[in-house]
């Protein structure tokens, strides 16, 4: 019996499929590992129009997994279980699914042979415990293993239960190869497309205000939908539409994305996966300038973000992490008198760091950032103070100071990196616009 038939038999008048995701692993509950699988699976299912209504995390306990499966099977058409398929005694997902289905585990000879061959290829002796991975609930359909853990699919209580490994690389292959095509075929599904407009230097409320009447209009038309998401210096506008095909969904989202870009103007730094680092890369490539960075408070965070851009070596020469005053004077060539006069967290020192990095690395553009991450103030500077300096050819240094109160040390360092990158982007934009631009 397929999912769509199951929906009809329940007399449900809704369209599409409902899914729930169950992440198995006591390490997730203890905070020793973070469940990234559920988010990835949700995003992938959304793309094919499956509505994911619930994520659940449960420890390595048969009874509690069975309890979750019972509830999920009532609420959803498909339940995706990730984790608990390893070879050790605490990997109990297959035991729990068998109990939920009211069947026994049975050893699959083809999986046992696969495991023996897998270890033989690696010239290793297979531990006897690995044979547990050849045991599946009776009647289950095998999802071929990527590593040593086979997945499986079984229909229980009117819901399809897919079990995939917790190792992300293995899980992703099985979802793409086995689960997604199966759900598309069974559900006659629509496609959901989300596009993102990314801004920097704009508050979430400011962005929402500029798009207010657009949101109201789309609410009346019921598609696409708009959501505002703020995170550490960046506000994203997500536009989502569901249609029969990806092309049809893009035809709904793309005009709205264009309108939002027009409304937000210079605050837009990129679309979809491209953030402020990509905007800086485009600006530097346009002028054929190279960049060097000297950072203190961010401890290398700015440089780590810059090198996420493919081909960054074309324009990013490198940088200096000058955390102490000794490093600032000895490595980044900041004048000691300047430090004594203005203090290490000041606009003149940020500009001197930018110039020092530029000169030491032979770049065209220099970026410097200093700040107070806490826990104590630094002289007259409060925790959360961040100073940025940018130097470009044939122009005086440009500096700015912002204060980011009430944030943890880690959050403040991430925000400071965003502030520094936004300062660089805006300065490069001013130079490109010319005098008065």
């Amino acid at each position: 019996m397929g999912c769509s038939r199951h929906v009809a038999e329940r007399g449900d008048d809704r369209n599409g499929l409902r899914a729930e995701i169950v992440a198995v692993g006591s390490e997730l509950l203890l905070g020793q590992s973070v469940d990234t699988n559920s988010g990835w699976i949700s995003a992938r299912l959304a793309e094919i129009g499956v509505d994911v209504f619930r994520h659940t995390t449960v420890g390595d306990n048969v009874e509690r997994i069975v309890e979750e499966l019972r509830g999920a099977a009532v609420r959803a058409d498909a339940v995706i279980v990730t984790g608990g398929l390893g070879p050790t005694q605490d990997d109990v997902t297959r035991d729990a699914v068998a109990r939920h289905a009211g069947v026994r585990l049975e050893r699959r000879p083809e999986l046992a042979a696969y495991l023996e061959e897998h270890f033989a290829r690696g010239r290793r002796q297979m531990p006897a415990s690995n044979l547990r991975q050849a045991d599946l609930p009776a009647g289950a359909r095998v999802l071929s293993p990527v590593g040593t853990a086979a997945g499986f699919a079984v229909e229980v209580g009117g819901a399809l239960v897919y079990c995939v490994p917790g190792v992300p690389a293995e899980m992703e292959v099985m979802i793409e190869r086995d689960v997604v095509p199966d759900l598309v075929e069974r559900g006659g599904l629509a496609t959901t497309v989300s596009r993102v407009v990314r801004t920097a230097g704009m508050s979430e409320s400011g962005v929402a205000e500029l798009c207010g009447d657009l949101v109201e209009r789309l609410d009346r038309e019921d598609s696409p939908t708009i959501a505002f998401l703020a995170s550490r210096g960046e506000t994203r506008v997500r536009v989502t539409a569901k249609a029969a095909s990806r092309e049809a969904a893009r035809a709904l989202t793309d005009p709205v994305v264009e309108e939002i870009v027009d409304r937000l103007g210079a605050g837009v730094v990129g679309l979809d996966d491209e953030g402020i680092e990509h905007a800086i890369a485009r600006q530097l490539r346009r002028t054929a300038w190279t960049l060097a960075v000297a950072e203190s408070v961010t401890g290398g965070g700015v440089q780590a973000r810059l090198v996420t851009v493919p081909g960054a070596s074309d324009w990013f020469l490198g940088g200096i992490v000058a955390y102490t005053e000794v490093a600032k004077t000895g490595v980044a060539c900041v004048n000691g008198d300047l430090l004594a006069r203005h203090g290490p967290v000041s606009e003149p020192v940020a500009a001197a760091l930018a110039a020092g990095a530029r000169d030491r690395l032979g770049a065209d553009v220099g970026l410097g950032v200093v700040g107070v991450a806490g826990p104590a103030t630094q002289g007259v500077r409060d925790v959360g103070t961040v100073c940025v300096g940018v130097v470009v050819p044939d122009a005086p240094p440009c500096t700015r100071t912002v204060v980011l109160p009430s944030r943890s040390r880690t959050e403040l360092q991430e925000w400071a990196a965003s502030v520094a990158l936004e300062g660089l982007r805006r300065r490069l934009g001013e130079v490109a616009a010319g005098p008065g631009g």
Side-chain angles (χ1 to χ4, degrees), residues 310-355:
S313 57
D314 294 342
W315 46 268
F316 177 54
L317 301 188
I320 300 165
V321 177
Y323 203 68
T324 65
E325 293 191 19
V326 171
K328 287 180 176 67
T329 54
V331 181
C333 303
V334 175
N335 185 289
D337 291 340
L338 187 79
L339 268 170
R341 195 161 60 250
H342 297 283
V345 180
S346 61
E347 292 187 7
V349 168
L353 280 171

Side-chain angles (χ1 to χ4, degrees), residues 171-219:
M171 175 276 295
E172 291 175 12
V173 169
M174 281 189 202
I175 294 291
E176 292 287 358
R177 184 192 63 195
D178 302 309
V179 178
V180 166
D182 202 26
L183 290 176
V184 168
E185 181 181 348
R186 289 168 180 268
L189 298 171
T191 296
T192 298
V193 166
S194 289
R195 300 208 58 206
V196 178
V197 179
R198 302 175 65 157
T199 73
M202 302 181 74
S203 68
E204 183 179 12
S205 57
V207 170
E209 189 171 313
L210 288 170
C211 298
D213 62 311
L214 175 63
V215 173
E216 291 176 5
R217 189 187 85 207
L218 294 175
D219 279 347

Side-chain angles (χ1 to χ4, degrees), residues 283-306:
Q283 290 169 315
L284 289 169
R285 284 196 173 105
R286 224 168 7 243
T287 54
W289 282 348
T290 55
L291 170 69
V293 175
E295 48 189 321
S296 178
V297 64
T298 43
V302 171
Q303 296 170 67
R305 288 179 58 174
L306 289 170

Side-chain angles (χ1 to χ4, degrees), residues 235-310:
T235 296
R236 289 165 288 156
V237 186
R238 188 181 63 207
V239 182
T240 302
K242 185 184 291 188
S245 67
R246 181 172 182 80
E247 291 71 23
R250 283 291 295 253
L252 293 171
T253 58
D254 289 3
V256 177
V257 167
E258 289 177 14
E259 185 170 348
I260 292 170
V261 169
D262 287 342
R263 287 170 180 245
L264 302 183
V268 176
V269 297
L271 300 178
D272 303 322
D273 294 331
E274 293 196 348
I276 194 169
E277 305 86 0
H278 296 77
I280 290 168
R282 286 192 292 272
Q283 290 169 315
L284 289 169
R285 284 196 173 105
R286 224 168 7 243
T287 54
W289 282 348
T290 55
L291 170 69
V293 175
E295 48 189 321
S296 178
V297 64
T298 43
V302 171
Q303 296 170 67
R305 288 179 58 174
L306 289 170
V307 298
T308 61
V309 180

